[in-house]
């Protein structure tokens, strides 16, 4: 049941764009190329967002889809952030093209598997939903679930935080910080499904909506006052996309939560003798404008020397993991020798830092991989901001 | 009011004789009119009216003939005239069988209005004929000399210690590549030779209040600490131990705390930067060095009050703050500079004596990038095009080429905008071999990826013509930043300052009246009006001077300025009945009304443009013009025949400016439309008072149509918000309808352009049909 | 070409099957992956040569299997008809099913019947061959691609030792698919839901004779092996490993 013709594809594409906020703005594209120049894959792609708009205008969508360019997007938001016409490229132009590939039935295999797994199991790893809260057994204190009663903070570890071997460490670290701070927190446990931002950005809008509905339903089981999440993409989705579906609780990125509790934490801090640099993750920094909170937290740890990389804040380079990028590794490798994460860890290492602090869960596997690829393993270590904080209060 | 003597004249030419003229005469003479005459060629024989006026002492004349828009000269007399449009809007636009009752209604309406018309008389105002010019850049200077040479007194106020503004800091002008100092020199001489221009530098206009012909201006004179007797010998500079960043050079380099702003500074006098001078710590090195006792470190600011008759705001622009464009590295990399800095760098009196070198290390420039639209045409920064940057960069590229013939010059652009005759300049520039790359620069970093890129700034851009993302290493980057209007202006009016457009420029009717702000007597010129080049600024200055002179002259004679120029009438407030609801003071599009403490309106007649918006707003109906009152229109409405049968009766208020002429044009083209409609022209839809609608509906009129100009962002209303206000007042209308238990569809507002005349039959007929569907007004016959 | 693909569901092993008191706790079913490849190949052939694809979903009477979603998925992918075939009497012998199916197929005139090469539940891989016997049609298994050539199909098969073979099979025929030529096509969830809402799944029943020969005695999980992580320098680990081997008697 493939789409019959290019004009039918165009129609589907336009319909999707019309449902996306400011989707119609593509008509105002100046063809200035800011997007292409800003794109981490601009040099290798056949279709920069600018050219994608041209392809849509010229109705040569087939050629665009065949090039695979739509999958070379890490949703880093640089193009959208800088676009002088404020066209929703990351949220519209690209995922709408991806959706066409999905409808054609031929997205990159690795990503397709992740999406199908998410549809069936609520996580991309093909893990049992029953194991989603298994990390709880690995900490030595009790963690309640929202289904059992109300809480102040609802803690969302999201898929990577719940299942991924390395990322689970971040989840546990954050849980321990909550515990040490005496925060009244709960998790959704087995009720939590993938929050879905990568599905949305991959063009799997239907799946995203279903996940949103399920998660909102799970959140209605008992009252809580706000959400804290260690996953930057979940953070963004819960804060900016979920409200469209009737969800209205405040959502904090864990770096904001740490900054908020900084005075208490300061009393608990002991000295750490590290040189630390900080990577502004796309969905914490550029996308949501949180630049100071993580820096304030790092700087507050006694003994830590904070150094900046060359590209920071609005201009930070993406790790390459977002927008499904973490599932497109082998696809992207065909296009590019050095991946963004490798370029980024080199930049981090050049600062002379021992620790590269991140605030997005995807950064961890991406950067740890990149350290192996670049031979920088051992020279610099990747840590989430809460892991650093936990180390300082231990 | 004593019975007024009205003469009625019915022309029977141009087909009007298709009507039953005898019947019309009969109707006219049923009214207490002095006489009623008919003539088959009234415009030619208008003398008979003139004679009657004299002989019979007429107070007003009703001319039942053609449209009031034609034969205006022939039909203007010493008494007020009411024109009844029997030609375009009756005989030319309706079938023979239907036109008689229409003509009768119009005649009755005309006579009843004429009985109330009063003569409008202008009062000569005593005014101040000085023109205040705010801003001493190229626009302000030009305006000053043009106004002075036209015979007007001028006050020129400049906040910097020197005249010339941004232009004084430029190296060359495009397209002639001539130095600005040359043209400035001529203008300075004109200033020096004129005894009509008072120049205040280091001065700021703190407040303007009052009204055209009578503005009160508060000027703050900031201390320069240097007296007029300074000879500019320069000994003070040698003596001064303190430095300041050189603002004149946009921070490139430093000067002493006492300094001469530029080599050809006017006035040619030193000045002290109080922020960096250590006089408060007892330093007086300059005073000691000055052989002419020209320095007074004890000087304080002075506030002086002045009078002016009209104002030209020429406060100009400032460059967009490039540090806000995070991806382009300004402030992070010293070799990323802005276009205005480049002018200083290339200027012989600039920080490097005119040598274009890298600010970081003073090295020569082998490869240079000009980044166009740095923040311009960008919704994240300045959404508009600043009009000059393309030309400026091409000009600056030639500066570089002149000094370094081998230099590689890259110009990154979205569109090269060199309109009209500047095309030639563009071609000449291109022939110098610049590399123009079509693409907006995405990023500037110093992260080298090859040996070629080391020690360079790397420009990352999508070459959109090539379809490739490129990295281009250069020595220096010039950001073509755009213009931000200097739009702070303290106008002490009920509604605050001068209204701005969405970009922050002082708004004007972009096409018809470019210099007009929405504040009468205050004109904007130059880059505070819209981004423009020097040549356009000079033109703007002359245009604004003309408008400000017109304003003085019209104001003096008690007349309105545009668009009702020549109109003597102005609104009269019967304040005893005012309830201080403040609708009039809030809604006046020109902030002509002030308020006392209680909220009672105070009219400033010379600010008023006579649109009648206040009169439309007033729920107490206490505002009237001599030739336009609530009662006049109400009595016209009372004259409209309301058929008791199935036939519909519609009252339509048509804006004089667009809708009414459109209706005439429909007649001229013999387009037929429903004869159920009775038209009353209004000054503006903003002047339609809800009471008329209530009156008409309670008389049994079936529907009301309001036809005005386009509203919204691209409004066409020459009084700015007529249709918009009418629309807002429709809510009150709905309440009225509710109270009368009438259907809301009975009142309709439409926007009609003058060129829409072909649509008129459809619009009117459809409305009548809609009303037929709703059914007759139940108040018929009450 | 008139093609039929047979689709069965099998227990979803991701969802952890629990055995309590010799009985399997209710568990989730998922489409048998090899069967999905059979459906995929059927759709590929239809796209290439025209014709139609019927997908037959087989479920046992009274089981918790949900074949509707896999069938809708097949429709979403391009199948023309989806038929749910309910088998009376739970049977653990494919032979009974095969007999009944052969009967069912008798008047259906399919040019090709595709089955997945095996299912993870029974691991027998016998349905195709047995159908072949009862329907007296040629069969070949471990097929990875199919090409039509007047009245025959040329199929590629995986052979032992990493060899590939090409075989010509006369139509009508039955093929056991190991994997389709291309990866399984993706179906966005919204599209699947849409098809599920609109799709008409035909239903039919298949009588399977009572057969007492094989019965379930119990289900159980094997004892989990003890896992010991050997840590330390390579030499140390080697020593410990030898020690351990000796302990369990393999050295």
């Amino acid at each position: 049941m493939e789409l019959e013709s290019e004009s039918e594809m165009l129609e589907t594409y336009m319909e999707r764009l019309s449902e996306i906020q400011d989707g119609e703005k593509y008509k105002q594209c100046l063809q200035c190329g800011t997007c292409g120049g800003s794109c981490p894959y601009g040099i290798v792609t056949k279709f920069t967002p600018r050219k994608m708009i041209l392809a849509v205008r010229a109705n040569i969508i087939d050629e665009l889809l065949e090039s695979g360019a739509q999958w070379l997007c890490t949703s880093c938001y640089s193009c959208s952030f800088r676009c002088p016409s404020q066209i929703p490229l990351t949220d519209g132009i690209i995922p709408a093209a991806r959706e066409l590939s999905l409808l054609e039935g031929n997205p990159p295999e690795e990503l397709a598997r992740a999406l199908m797994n998410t549809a069936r199991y609520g996580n991309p790893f093909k893990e049992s939903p029953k194991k989603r809260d298994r990390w709880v057994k690995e900490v030595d204190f009790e963690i309640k679930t929202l289904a059992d009663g109300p809480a102040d903070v609802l803690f969302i570890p999201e898929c990577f935080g719940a299942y991924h071997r390395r990322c689970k460490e971040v989840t546990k670290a954050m849980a321990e910080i909550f515990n040490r701070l005496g925060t009244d927190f709960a998790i959704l446990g087995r009720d939590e499904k993938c929050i879905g931002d990568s599905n949305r950005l991959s063009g799997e809008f239907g799946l995203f909506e279903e996940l949103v509905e399920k998660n909102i339903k799970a959140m209605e089981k008992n009252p809580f006052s706000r959400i804290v999440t260690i996953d930057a993409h979940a953070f963004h989705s819960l804060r900016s996309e979920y409200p469209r579906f009737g969800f209205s609780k405040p959502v904090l990125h864990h770096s904001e939560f740490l900054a908020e509790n900084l005075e208490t934490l300061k009393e608990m801090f002991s000295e750490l003798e590290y040189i630390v640099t900080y990577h502004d993750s796309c969905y914490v920094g550029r996308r949501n404008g949180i630049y100071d909170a993580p820096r304030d937290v790092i700087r507050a740890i006694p003994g830590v020397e904070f150094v900046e990389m060359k590209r920071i804040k609005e201009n930070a380079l993406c790790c390459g993991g977002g927008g499904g990028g973490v599932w497109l590794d082998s696809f992207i490798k065909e296009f590019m020798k050095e991946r963004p994460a490798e370029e980024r860890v080199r930049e981090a290492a050049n600062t002379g830092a021992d620790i590269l602090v991140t605030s997005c869960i995807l950064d961890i596997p991406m950067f740890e991989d990149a350290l192996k690829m670049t031979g920088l393993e051992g020279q610099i270590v990747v840590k989430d901001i809460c892991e650093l904080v936990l180390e300082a209060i231990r | 009011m004593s019975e007024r003597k009205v003469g009625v004249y019915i022309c029977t030419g141009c087909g009007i004789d298709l009507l039953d003229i005898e019947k019309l005469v009969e109707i006219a003479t049923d009214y207490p009119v002095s006489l009623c005459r008919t003539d088959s060629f009234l415009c030619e024989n208008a003398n008979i009216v003139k004679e009657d006026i004299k002989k019979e002492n007429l107070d007003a004349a009703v001319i039942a003939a053609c449209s009031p828009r034609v034969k205006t000269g022939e039909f203007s007399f010493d008494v007020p005239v009411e024109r009844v449009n029997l030609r375009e809007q009756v005989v030319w636009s309706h079938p023979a069988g239907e036109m008689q009752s229409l003509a009768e209604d119009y005649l009755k309406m005309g006579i009843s209005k004429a009985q109330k018309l009063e003569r409008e008389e202008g009062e000569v105002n005593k005014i101040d004929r000085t023109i205040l010019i705010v801003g001493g850049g190229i626009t302000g200077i030009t305006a000053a000399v043009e106004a002075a040479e036209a015979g007007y007194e001028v006050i020129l106020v400049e906040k910097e210690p020197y005249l010339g503004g941004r232009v004084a800091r430029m190296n060359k002008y495009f397209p002639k590549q001539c130095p600005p100092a040359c043209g400035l020199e001529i203008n300075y001489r004109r200033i020096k030779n004129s005894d009509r221009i008072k120049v205040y530098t280091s001065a700021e206009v703190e407040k303007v209040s009052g009204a055209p012909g009578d503005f009160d201006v508060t000027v703050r004179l900031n201390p320069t600490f240097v007296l007029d007797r300074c000879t500019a010998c320069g000994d003070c500079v040698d003596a001064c131990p303190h430095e300041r960043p050189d603002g004149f050079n946009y921070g490139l380099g430093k000067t002493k705390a006492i300094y001469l702003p530029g080599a050809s500074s006017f006035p040619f006098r030193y000045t002290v930067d109080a922020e960096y001078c250590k006089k408060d710590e007892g330093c007086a090195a300059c005073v000691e060095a000055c052989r002419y006792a020209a320095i007074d470190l004890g000087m304080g600011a002075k506030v002086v009050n002045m009078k002016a008759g009209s104002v030209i705001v020429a406060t100009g622009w400032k460059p967009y703050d490039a540090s806000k464009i995070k991806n382009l590295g300004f402030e992070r990399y010293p070799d990323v500079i802005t276009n205005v800095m480049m002018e200083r760098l290339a200027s012989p009196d600039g920080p490097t004596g005119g040598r274009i070198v890298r600010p970081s290390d003073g090295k020569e420039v082998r490869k240079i990038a000009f980044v166009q639209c740095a923040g311009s045409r960008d919704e994240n920064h300045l959404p508009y095009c600043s009009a000059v940057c393309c030309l400026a960069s091409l000009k600056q590229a030639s500066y570089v080429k002149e000094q370094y013939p081998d230099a590689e010059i890259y110009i990154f652009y979205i569109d090269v905008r060199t309109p009209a005759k500047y095309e030639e300049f563009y071609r000449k520039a291109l022939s110098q071999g610049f590399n123009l790359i079509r693409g907006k620069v995405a990023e500037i970093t110093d992260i080298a990826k090859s040996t070629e890129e080391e020690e360079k700034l790397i420009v990352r851009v999508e070459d959109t013509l090539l379809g490739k993302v490129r990295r281009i290493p250069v020595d220096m980057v010039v950001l073509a930043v755009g213009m931000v209007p200097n739009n702070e202006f303290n106008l002490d009016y009920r509604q605050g300052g001068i209204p701005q457009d969405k970009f922050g420029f002082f708004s004007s009717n972009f096409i018809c009246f470019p210099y007009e702000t929405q504040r009468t007597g205050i004109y904007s010129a130059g880059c505070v009006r819209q981004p423009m080049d020097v040549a356009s600024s000079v033109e703007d200055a002359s245009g604004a001077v003309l408008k400000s002179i017109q304003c003085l002259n019209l104001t003096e004679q008690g007349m309105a300025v545009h668009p009702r120029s020549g109109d003597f009438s102005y609104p009269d407030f019967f304040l005893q009945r005012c309830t201080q609801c403040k609708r009039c003071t809030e809604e006046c599009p020109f902030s002509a009304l002030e308020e006392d403490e209680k909220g009672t309106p105070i009219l400033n007649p010379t600010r008023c443009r006579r649109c009648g918006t206040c009169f439309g707003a007033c729920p107490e109906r206490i505002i009237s013009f001599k030739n336009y009152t609530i009662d006049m229109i109400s009595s016209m409405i009372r004259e409209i025949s309301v058929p008791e049968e199935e036939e519909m009766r519609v009252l339509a208020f048509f804006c004089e400016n667009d809708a009414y002429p459109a209706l005439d044009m429909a007649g001229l083209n013999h387009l037929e439309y429903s004869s159920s409609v009775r038209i009353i022209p209004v000054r503006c839809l903003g002047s339609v008072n809800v009471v008329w609608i209530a009156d008409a509906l309670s008389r049994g009129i079936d529907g009301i149509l309001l036809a005005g100009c386009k509203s919204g962002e691209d409004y066409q209303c020459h009084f700015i918000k007529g249709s918009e206000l009418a629309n807002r007042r429709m809510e009150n209308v709905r309440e009225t309808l509710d109270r009368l238990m009438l259907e809301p569809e009975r009142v309709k507002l439409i926007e009609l352009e003058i060129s829409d005349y072909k649509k008129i039959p459809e619009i009117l007929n459809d409305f009548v049909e809609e009303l037929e569907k709703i059914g007759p007004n139940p108040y018929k016959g009450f | 070409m008139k093609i039929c693909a047979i689709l069965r569901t099998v227990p979803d092993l991701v969802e952890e099957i629990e055995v309590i008191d010799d009985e399997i706790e209710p568990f989730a079913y998922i489409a048998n992956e090899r069967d999905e490849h059979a459906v995929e190949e059927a759709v590929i052939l239809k796209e290439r040569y025209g014709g139609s694809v019927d997908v037959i979903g087989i479920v046992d009477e009274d089981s918790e299997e949900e074949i509707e979603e896999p069938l809708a998925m097949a429709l979403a992918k391009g199948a023309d008809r989806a038929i749910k075939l309910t088998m009376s009497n739970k049977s653990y012998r494919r032979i009974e099913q095969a007999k009944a199916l052969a009967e069912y197929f008798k008047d259906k005139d399919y040019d090709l019947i595709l089955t997945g090469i095996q299912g993870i539940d029974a691991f027998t891989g016998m349905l195709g061959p047995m159908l072949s016997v009862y329907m007296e049609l040629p069969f070949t298994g471990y097929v990875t691609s199919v090409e039509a050539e007047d009245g025959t199909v040329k199929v590629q098969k995986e052979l032992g030792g990493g060899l590939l073979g090409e075989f010509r099979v006369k139509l009508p025929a039955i093929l056991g698919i190991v994997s389709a030529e291309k990866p399984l096509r993706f179906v966005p969830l919204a599209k699947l839901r849409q098809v599920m809402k609109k799709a008409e799944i035909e239903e039919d029943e298949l009588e399977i004779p009572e057969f007492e020969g094989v019965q379930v005695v119990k289900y159980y999980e094997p004892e989990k092996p003890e896992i010991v992580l050997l840590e330390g320098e390579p030499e140390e680990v080697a020593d410990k490993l030898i020690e351990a081997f000796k302990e369990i008697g393999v050295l």
Side-chain angles (χ1 to χ4, degrees), chain A residues 25 28 84, chain B residues 316-318 320 324 375-386 417 482-488 498-508 510 527-531 713-714:
Chain A
K25 277 199 127 187
Q28 290 181 29
Chain B
W317 60 283
K318 52 183 164 289
Y320 184 67
K324 287 186 188 163
S376 295
R377 300 179 65 195
D378 189 332
E379 290 181 28
N380 304 301
H381 302 282
L382 300 180
Y384 49 86
C385 165
S386 282
R417 292 185 169 171
M483 294 178 177
V484 179
N486 289 323
N487 55 8
E488 284 141 34
I498 305 171
Q500 298 169 6
D501 65 16
K502 61 180 172 185
F503 306 128
F505 294 93
F506 286 147
S507 76
S508 64
F510 203 66
C527 294
V528 74
R529 186 169 79 72
Q530 66 163 324
E713 197 179 342
D714 292 320

Side-chain angles (χ1 to χ4, degrees), chain A residues 116 119-120 210, chain C residues 7 9 29-31 36 65-76 82 84 187 189 192-193 195-196 199 201:
Chain A
M116 288 193 278
R120 184 164 178 97
E210 191 164 300
Chain C
L7 187 59
T9 57
Y29 284 90
I30 187 169
E36 286 189 295
E65 291 174 81
E66 279 184 7
I67 196 76
E68 282 76 8
E69 188 172 316
L71 281 175
M73 182 70 98
L75 289 172
K84 176 180 175 182
V187 176
L189 195 63
L192 176 65
R193 294 275 181 267
V195 172
M196 281 177 77
I201 293 175

Side-chain angles (χ1 to χ4, degrees), chain A residues 25 28 30-34 36-39 42-43 48 50 81-84 86 310-311 314-315 343, chain B residues 326-327 332 377-380 414 438-443 445-447 449 460-462 464 467 469 471:
Chain A
K25 277 199 127 187
Q28 290 181 29
L30 302 171
Q31 288 292 307
C32 71
T34 305
S38 301
C39 178
I43 285 177
T48 58
R50 173 189 71 84
F81 187 81
R82 291 176 185 162
C83 173
Q86 292 178 347
K310 287 208 168 183
R311 282 172 284 188
E314 299 87 348
N315 298 323
E343 195 178 332
Chain B
K326 301 284 181 199
N327 45 327
R332 194 159 60 241
R377 300 179 65 195
D378 189 332
E379 290 181 28
N380 304 301
I414 310 176
R438 192 188 175 284
K440 185 162 175 158
V441 171
E443 235 168 50
T445 64
D446 64 349
I447 304 175
K449 285 195 169 177
R460 192 174 150 117
V461 66
E462 181 178 2
T464 60
V469 174
R471 295 170 61 88

Side-chain angles (χ1 to χ4, degrees), chain A residues 162-179:
Chain A
Y163 292 107
H164 188 275
R165 185 190 50 81
R166 170 66 180 88
C167 299
K168 254 191 326 194
E169 297 304 314
V170 179
T171 307
K172 290 188 293 187
M174 194 60 214
E176 197 171 334
I177 293 172
F178 285 136
N179 194 43

Side-chain angles (χ1 to χ4, degrees), chain B residues 321-579:
Chain B
D321 178 2
S323 68
K324 287 186 188 163
I325 321 163
K326 301 284 181 199
N327 45 327
L328 298 184
F330 184 74
E331 280 182 353
R332 194 159 60 241
Y333 306 116
D335 296 331
V336 176
I337 64 169
T338 63
N339 46 2
V340 287
M341 292 163 85
M342 184 63 171
E343 288 296 327
R344 296 312 302 144
L345 212 50
S347 286
D349 67 339
T352 56
R355 281 185 58 241
I356 298 170
V357 291
R358 304 212 312 183
S360 63
D361 54 10
K363 279 192 187 150
E364 291 187 347
V365 176
R366 297 269 137 227
K367 283 174 103 175
I368 187 166
F370 289 90
V371 176
Q372 297 311 107
C373 296
S376 295
R377 300 179 65 195
D378 189 332
E379 290 181 28
N380 304 301
H381 302 282
L382 300 180
Y384 49 86
C385 165
S386 282
V388 300
C389 325
C390 286
L391 290 149
S393 290
L394 290 166
K395 175 188 72 172
Q396 293 177 354
S398 348
Y399 299 166
V400 179
K401 206 73 181 172
E402 209 170 278
Q403 291 189 22
Y404 307 107
D406 302 333
E408 276 178 50
I409 293 165
Y410 294 90
I411 300 175
F412 301 94
Y413 68 97
I414 310 176
D415 300 294
V416 176
R417 292 185 169 171
T418 55
K421 291 198 283 185
Y422 288 133
E423 183 68 12
E424 196 197 359
F425 180 74
Y426 178 39
R427 283 184 186 272
K428 273 190 194 160
L430 285 184
S431 65
Q432 297 178 65
F434 305 149
N435 301 302
L436 269 81
I437 295 179
R438 192 188 175 284
K440 185 162 175 158
V441 171
E443 235 168 50
I444 292 166
T445 64
D446 64 349
I447 304 175
K449 285 195 169 177
S450 65
T451 46
E452 194 204 0
E453 290 182 354
E454 270 161 32
E455 311 272 303
K456 301 267 185 192
L457 291 167
I458 298 109
V459 177
R460 192 174 150 117
V461 66
E462 181 178 2
D463 184 328
T464 60
L465 297 180
L466 213 54
K468 274 200 170 121
V469 174
R470 297 172 66 180
R471 295 170 61 88
I472 296 170
V474 295
D475 300 313
M476 190 163 124
V477 174
V478 181
L479 304 181
V481 293
M483 294 178 177
V484 179
N486 289 323
N487 55 8
E488 284 141 34
F489 194 90
N490 182 12
L491 182 63
D492 190 17
Y493 276 18
R494 157 75 171 80
Q495 293 178 22
I498 305 171
Q500 298 169 6
D501 65 16
K502 61 180 172 185
F503 306 128
F505 294 93
F506 286 147
S507 76
S508 64
N509 184 311
F510 203 66
I511 297 172
C512 293
F513 309 105
Y515 314 110
E516 293 283 350
T517 68
Q518 285 177 37
R519 298 295 170 256
T520 309
I522 300 176
Y523 302 91
S524 64
C527 294
V528 74
R529 186 169 79 72
Q530 66 163 324
M532 63 179 77
D533 62 2
V534 174
S536 310
S537 300
V538 171
E539 281 173 37
D540 241 39
S542 313
V545 165
L546 179 69
K547 294 307 289 183
S548 60
I549 290 174
Q550 278 179 359
C551 167
L552 293 177
N553 292 341
L554 291 167
T555 303
E556 188 164 44
Q557 296 169 59
M559 290 186 206
V561 299
H562 92 279
R564 298 184 63 86
S565 37
D567 187 352
F568 287 113
S569 71
Y570 57 83
D572 192 16
F573 292 70
F574 185 66
L575 291 176
Q576 285 94 316
R577 280 204 355 245
C578 173
T579 59

Side-chain angles (χ1 to χ4, degrees), chain C residues 85-140:
Chain C
L85 215 47
T86 310
M87 309 235 169
S88 67
N89 292 326
K90 207 176 179 90
S91 163
Y92 297 95
R93 278 172 41 118
R94 289 283 176 267
I95 192 161
E96 306 303 330
Q97 292 183 352
K99 260 190 210 163
L101 266 174
E103 191 58 29
Y104 174 81
F105 280 135
K106 222 181 205 168
D107 53 351
K108 300 284 190 292
D109 299 327
Y110 288 118
D111 299 309
L112 261 182
I113 295 173
L114 307 184
T115 71
I117 194 66
Q118 59 177 206
I120 56 147
D121 49 354
F123 266 149
T124 58
M126 288 309 290
L127 183 61
M130 287 189 293
L131 270 178
S132 148
V133 170
Y134 293 119
M135 295 178 73
E136 295 176 2
L137 292 178
F139 169 84
T140 187

Side-chain angles (χ1 to χ4, degrees), chain C residues 186-204:
Chain C
F186 183 82
V187 176
L189 195 63
K191 188 170 163 183
L192 176 65
R193 294 275 181 267
Q194 211 181 344
V195 172
M196 281 177 77
K197 225 183 260 170
K198 284 197 304 198
E200 278 183 34
I201 293 175
E202 298 162 42
E203 295 199 20
D204 218 334

